[in-house]
Amino acid sequence: MTALLTPSGQPETIFTLDYGYILVSTDPREPVLLYGRNGSNSTEEVGMDDIPSLRELVKPIMEAALKAGGKMQIIHFTPHDAGTKEMKLVAGLRAMNPRGHHLVQIIPVPLDMPLDRDGQLAYDFEPFEATFASRFAVKH
């Protein structure tokens, strides 16, 4: 297992992971692709076990995305450990790779994003979209 480190040199966990989005294959042998980690505009390939608890986070999200058949959904992740942060994630099927495995995209969203459809339609996405877009802007 390769240790992935935060900018301060601490071991990366799902709770410290700062990313634009994650792309995960339904084939557990394929690497996980992290886009925009720590504000960069690059992509990193990591193993599912290179970040503690990543497998536990991703597995139920992938199952829900496959069951929903491509429909995007918001998932509220509440860890069992006291003192660790909650997360809200948007997940959905992104594509199928040439080997026939589905790719699931996982995007972190603000914790105050409503789970109900009416609340989401009224939610002000502008600050979130600006931050998301800036992570992937070409830097000269």
Side-chain angles (χ1 to χ4, degrees):
M1 180 167 115
T2 305
L4 198 61
L5 303 176
T6 65
S8 65
Q10 299 299 312
E12 193 77 83
T13 70
I14 60 165
F15 303 111
T16 59
L17 192 60
D18 177 27
Y19 59 94
Y21 66 93
I22 299 173
L23 204 57
V24 184
S25 171
T26 53
D27 180 353
R29 297 169 298 191
E30 292 189 24
V32 173
L33 301 176
L34 296 175
Y35 291 84
R37 187 165 82 93
N38 298 325
S40 76
N41 62 352
S42 63
T43 303
E44 295 178 65
E45 286 188 3
V46 298
M48 185 67 77
D49 297 316
D50 291 348
I51 301 172
S53 301
L54 181 61
R55 184 179 301 273
E56 289 79 15
L57 172 71
V58 168
K59 185 179 178 189
I61 291 172
M62 289 183 67
E63 289 170 357
L66 290 170
K67 186 176 180 180
K71 181 180 174 188
M72 295 293 279
Q73 53 192 312
I74 295 180
I75 298 167
H76 188 186
F77 177 74
T78 307
H80 296 292
D81 302 332
T84 53
K85 71 178 185 177
E86 299 175 61
M87 292 183 260
K88 279 192 184 165
L89 309 153
V90 171
L93 296 180
R94 173 70 180 243
M96 186 177 281
N97 67 20
R99 292 170 298 286
H101 299 286
H102 290 284
L103 300 175
V104 176
Q105 183 178 32
I106 302 169
I107 303 169
V109 294
L111 195 55
D112 67 346
M113 181 174 287
L115 294 174
D116 64 288
R117 180 168 166 69
D118 291 338
Q120 291 167 15
L121 292 173
Y123 187 79
D124 180 12
F125 278 95
E126 197 168 305
F128 169 73
E129 288 173 348
T131 301
F132 189 81
S134 71
R135 296 183 82 115
F136 300 102
V138 176
K139 297 176 181 158
H140 298 282

